[in-house]
Amino acid sequence: RLSERTAVFEPSIPAYDDNFNYDFMVALVLLGYWALLARRLYRLPHAPTAARLRRSSRRLAIAALVGALFVPARLVTSLVLYGYGWHFAADRLLIGVPLVALPTLATLLVTVPALHRLGRPSPDDAEEVAAPPASRAAAAPRVSFPARAVAVGGLVSFVMILFAPAPPLLAPALVSYGVVAPVLVVIWRRHADRVRDGVVRPLPRGAARARRVAVATAAVLVLVGGYAGWDWQTSKLPDDYRMTEQAMTYGTGPGPVDHSAHSHGAGLPDRPLTQFTGPAGKPDKRFTLVATDARLRLSSGATVDATAFNGQIPGPELRVRQGDLVEVTLVNRTTDTPTTVHWHGLDVPNAEDGVAGLTQDAVPPGGSHVYRWRAGQVGTYWYHSHQASSTQVRRGLFGPLVIDPAPPAPAGVREFVVAAHVFDTDKGDTSTLNAADTLRRESVPPGTPVRIRLINADNFRKYFTLAGTPFKVTAVDGGPVNAPTDLYRTKLMLGGGGRYDLEFTMPSAPVRLTDLAAVGAGLLLSPDGQGELAPLTDGPEFDATRYGSPAATPFGPDSDFDRSFDLVLDNRPGFYDGQPYYLWTINGHVSPHVPMLMVREGELVKVTISNRSFLEHPMHLHGHHVLVLSRNGHRATGSPLWLDTVTLLSGESYELAFRADNPGLWMDHCHNLKHAAMGMTMHLGYEGISTPFHAGRATGNTSD
């Protein structure tokens, strides 16, 4: 039976990080080898004797042939990365490899033959001083210059690994070649001027050499320091700015989209986003969420200095029915924590999205705000703060949200809503399920249908197992799975912000849900609330793109798309808001300098996302659900997979599609909220819509 289920699991693929490191090491060794070889070639004319010059020439010719092997090695490592997708190797294949391949070819065609001639044995070989003709020939630029060019190209190629350019690559290519060209001109002139009046100039020694080293060191420090200073200064965020100032567009489309509405200082267009509010009328469900400061205790006794809704972590479960008009009043009774509420996964009207500085101002202590939206979806969702969310969600400002179908589901289903989260406690970082960091026990009669609504309310991906029974994944991110099949002894990876619904029939023996980050905790179900079951800690990994059965969708991989965008997620060293960080970038930029994806209402949009960084990124698009078209170049073959949060591991790429049917200005960001706070945030903008709200220290709005 197990073999029949293997089709839902992704075969193992080579680790992207390992292959990246191989390429990194080859580039580093290439740089060091050719820098040393270039130095030896430059010093060749100063061999003390003719015999030594000839022997050195022969050895250096062999060394050049060996060094040339690093170029095909670098090409191979680049092609291995190309196996993950074009964006993983484009900069190497178009810029990095040519920068070393072309001068290496010149070395083989020009330098090696010249060394061969210099290394020919002579009947007069003795330990006499090298003859001027041999020294002059060894000082010719054709001997040492090509190797120096390889070293320069290797340096630029290596730096490009650390500061990888993002598409489009025309500008980075022009800059790279534009930097290398004048440097090589200067080096050529230096090599060409070595012989004067038939004599090779001596190498600088003593004070002259020290001055040259000092000047070179100072020049490098000035360049590096100047770049660092410029990066530090330009990274500082304005005290008052619009998140959507960078109104540009990536990708292709049928024509330009009007950006003028989003330019800072431009007049408001016909449609400010504040007009996209929830419907009027008497609400079917009313809730009040009161944000307070609290010191709360986990099940183990560990304490959390929390900011919580209604004095509990997670916040209260909000349960409504599809079609309900819902009204939620946020009351802020914290001491000094302005906050909001964002409805994660709900495609609410734009003004109800709860993003401070974009769709509203943060609610200050003592203030309140009313959200209204109609529950048009069904499934498992959650809500959380979107003001300084990397801090506030971590401290506890989140809770579950469940939308039941309008026709009531069959009675008798036992539900457990479980939110996984890591809290900062007096005992350190602590993984919890509904604030329980110990094993929770519940009694469930055998034969009872059970549904576990699993929410990852943390930044990083989590792995879960369900032991003791076959089960089905019946929903992903709230969307139903078509024709789910039984799974057994399966490891479930759930990215930050994502949700799974798990269903099974309660057996007569215990069943245990385990978060593999805290195997001692978990949820144990049994007929009498007792018993034991060891946690399942391993198994084949679930692949939602190949699970369930296909069904009709309104669009698909072969549709004609109105707009297409390419996004590359990456990391690089740099500054953010004046502080040094390892930055998390989108197409080489960090917020608020990441241009928006601009669309017109009604357009069909395709987005290709590639993750070149070293960590996973759960990318969350507000206000829309995307259909997964492919993963890692393989079309999705299972049930249609509609997601609001797409987790990309290192080396992964996804093709996604959505209909631009919810006008407004929407955040699209990594739901590792620390990454979002350090720049991995962009926006989706509809033509002709703007926001009156501002972000920045002077405004009190900090969405991330």
Side-chain angles (χ1 to χ4, degrees):
R1 294 171 56 191
L2 182 59
S3 63
E4 296 173 359
R5 302 187 185 102
T6 56
V8 303
F9 304 116
E10 179 73 11
S12 61
I13 58 176
Y16 170 74
D17 289 0
D18 290 342
N19 289 319
F20 179 93
N21 289 334
Y22 296 148
D23 183 67
F24 179 90
M25 290 305 301
V26 170
L28 180 60
V29 173
L30 183 152
L31 169 60
Y33 186 96
W34 280 93
L36 179 60
L37 179 60
R39 183 174 184 272
R40 293 292 302 274
L41 287 168
Y42 190 80
R43 299 173 68 89
L44 179 62
H46 303 282
T49 66
R52 182 75 63 85
L53 188 149
R54 298 183 197 283
R55 288 197 299 271
S56 295
S57 296
R58 291 193 292 268
R59 292 169 182 168
L60 290 173
I62 295 173
L65 293 173
V66 172
L69 297 177
F70 286 110
V71 174
R74 186 76 204 283
L75 178 61
V76 168
T77 58
S78 298
L79 290 175
V80 169
L81 293 177
Y82 175 72
Y84 294 91
W86 172 242
H87 290 314
F88 294 90
D91 56 323
R92 291 160 168 82
L93 295 175
L94 297 179
I95 307 174
V97 172
L99 282 175
V100 294
L102 295 177
T104 299
L105 181 62
T107 302
L108 295 177
L109 296 178
V110 178
T111 301
V112 171
L115 291 172
H116 178 70
R117 288 190 294 271
L118 287 169
R120 288 173 182 167
S122 169
D124 299 327
D125 270 355
E127 296 304 317
E128 76 274 11
V129 175
S135 297
R136 290 195 299 270
R142 64 177 176 271
V143 174
S144 55
F145 174 76
R148 192 75 73 180
V150 177
V152 171
L155 177 60
V156 174
S157 180
F158 181 73
V159 170
M160 284 178 56
I161 296 178
L162 302 178
F163 299 88
L169 291 178
L170 178 60
L174 293 176
V175 169
S176 299
Y177 290 112
V179 167
V180 168
V183 170
L184 293 184
V185 169
V186 171
I187 293 174
W188 172 269
R189 294 196 59 172
R190 180 186 172 196
H191 285 236
D193 292 343
R194 295 183 68 188
V195 178
R196 289 186 180 177
D197 300 325
V199 178
V200 179
R201 287 188 299 172
L203 293 171
R205 298 183 183 278
R209 183 180 181 184
R211 284 195 299 273
R212 180 171 292 184
V213 171
V215 169
T217 302
V220 171
L221 291 176
V222 167
L223 289 174
V224 173
Y227 172 79
W230 171 82
D231 193 31
W232 167 73
Q233 185 63 37
T234 57
S235 74
K236 293 182 180 179
L237 298 178
D239 289 337
D240 186 334
Y241 66 95
R242 287 186 183 175
M243 292 184 189
T244 55
E245 283 179 326
Q246 306 301 318
M248 299 167 62
T249 183
Y250 295 124
T252 59
V257 175
D258 178 17
H259 303 157
S260 60
H262 309 281
S263 301
H264 190 65
L268 289 179
D270 293 338
R271 297 195 299 173
L273 66 79
T274 49
Q275 79 177 44
F276 299 103
T277 59
K282 181 180 179 181
D284 300 292
K285 293 288 180 64
R286 279 195 176 99
F287 302 96
T288 299
L289 295 174
V290 181
T292 60
D293 301 312
R295 187 172 180 83
L296 302 175
R297 190 177 300 274
L298 305 181
S299 60
S300 67
T303 57
V304 180
D305 288 323
T307 309
F309 289 120
N310 294 16
Q312 64 184 73
I313 48 175
E317 177 185 313
L318 306 185
R319 186 175 286 262
V320 301
R321 182 167 293 176
Q322 185 181 23
D324 281 351
L325 177 57
V326 181
E327 181 179 286
V328 182
T329 301
L330 168 64
V331 179
N332 190 347
R333 292 181 183 165
T334 65
T335 303
D336 57 0
T337 307
T339 193
T340 68
V341 180
H342 165 63
W343 315 100
H344 187 112
L346 289 191
D347 302 339
V348 299
N350 196 209
E352 311 295 344
D353 198 40
V355 178
L358 181 66
T359 66
Q360 67 171 95
D361 286 324
V363 179
S368 64
H369 186 88
V370 176
Y371 300 92
R372 292 172 65 90
W373 39 266
R374 192 170 297 280
Q377 299 158 235
V378 173
T380 306
Y381 304 92
W382 62 302
Y383 60 90
H384 60 80
S385 164
H386 228 299
Q387 157 79 357
S389 55
S390 60
T391 300
Q392 294 189 10
V393 176
R394 177 80 170 190
R395 288 174 57 84
L397 279 177
F398 69 93
L401 170 62
V402 177
I403 304 178
D404 291 318
V413 177
R414 183 76 181 276
E415 282 202 355
F416 296 90
V417 181
V418 179
H421 192 71
V422 175
F423 287 101
D424 298 322
T425 74
D426 58 348
K427 298 180 180 179
D429 289 353
T430 304
S431 294
T432 68
L433 296 178
N434 285 0
D437 55 344
T438 57
L439 186 63
R440 170 188 168 193
R441 297 175 180 272
E442 295 284 348
S443 62
V444 179
T448 302
V450 178
R451 179 183 297 117
I452 297 178
R453 298 182 182 269
L454 187 57
I455 304 168
N456 184 359
D458 201 53
N459 285 332
F460 290 95
R461 71 183 187 269
K462 285 181 167 291
Y463 288 93
F464 300 90
T465 58
L466 188 66
T469 182
F471 65 95
K472 295 180 174 70
V473 176
T474 57
V476 181
D477 278 7
V481 173
N482 183 53
T485 55
D486 279 348
L487 302 171
Y488 188 68
R489 301 187 65 83
T490 302
K491 187 164 61 174
L492 302 167
M493 189 277 284
L494 188 57
R499 288 92 59 211
Y500 287 142
D501 286 7
L502 314 180
E503 295 188 16
F504 58 91
T505 299
M506 184 67 196
S508 57
V511 173
R512 179 167 180 164
L513 175 71
T514 302
D515 174 358
L516 296 185
V519 294
L523 173 65
L524 190 140
L525 309 178
S526 64
D528 59 359
Q530 303 298 317
E532 297 292 340
L533 180 62
L536 176 65
T537 58
D538 202 4
E541 190 169 324
F542 176 68
D543 179 4
T545 67
R546 303 170 67 187
Y547 180 68
S549 298
T553 56
F555 45 83
D558 299 321
S559 296
D560 293 326
F561 294 95
D562 300 299
R563 297 203 179 267
S564 296
F565 301 100
D566 278 331
L567 304 180
V568 176
L569 313 179
D570 213 334
N571 42 227
R572 63 173 174 83
F575 291 86
Y576 190 73
D577 198 17
Q579 298 296 318
Y581 288 110
Y582 211 66
L583 302 178
W584 306 101
T585 63
I586 302 176
N587 282 16
H589 302 281
V590 291
S591 175
H593 306 297
V594 183
M596 287 199 296
L597 306 184
M598 295 297 302
V599 298
R600 292 188 176 103
E601 187 173 355
E603 288 184 329
L604 186 60
V605 182
K606 178 180 178 181
V607 181
T608 301
I609 310 181
S610 304
N611 181 10
R612 297 194 311 202
S613 76
F614 296 143
L615 287 178
E616 80 271 10
H617 298 293
M619 298 302 294
H620 172 48
L621 174 60
H622 289 211
H624 303 76
H625 277 69
V626 298
L627 176 66
V628 175
L629 305 179
S630 71
R631 175 190 176 206
N632 300 332
H634 301 288
R635 284 194 176 187
T637 58
S639 170
L641 187 58
W642 295 89
L643 302 177
D644 56 67
T645 310
V646 182
T647 298
L648 293 93
L649 305 183
S650 296
E652 284 197 326
S653 59
Y654 277 78
E655 287 182 316
L656 312 169
F658 67 93
R659 178 72 68 182
D661 56 5
N662 195 4
L665 300 175
W666 301 96
M667 288 194 79
D668 187 0
H669 64 97
C670 179
H671 220 275
N672 182 327
L673 297 173
K674 290 185 178 180
H675 293 176
M678 290 189 290
M680 193 168 267
T681 298
M682 65 186 310
H683 296 85
L684 171 70
Y686 282 67
E687 181 179 33
I689 297 177
S690 74
T691 176
F693 302 106
H694 288 227
R697 283 176 287 269
T699 69
N701 292 324
T702 310
S703 66
D704 299 321

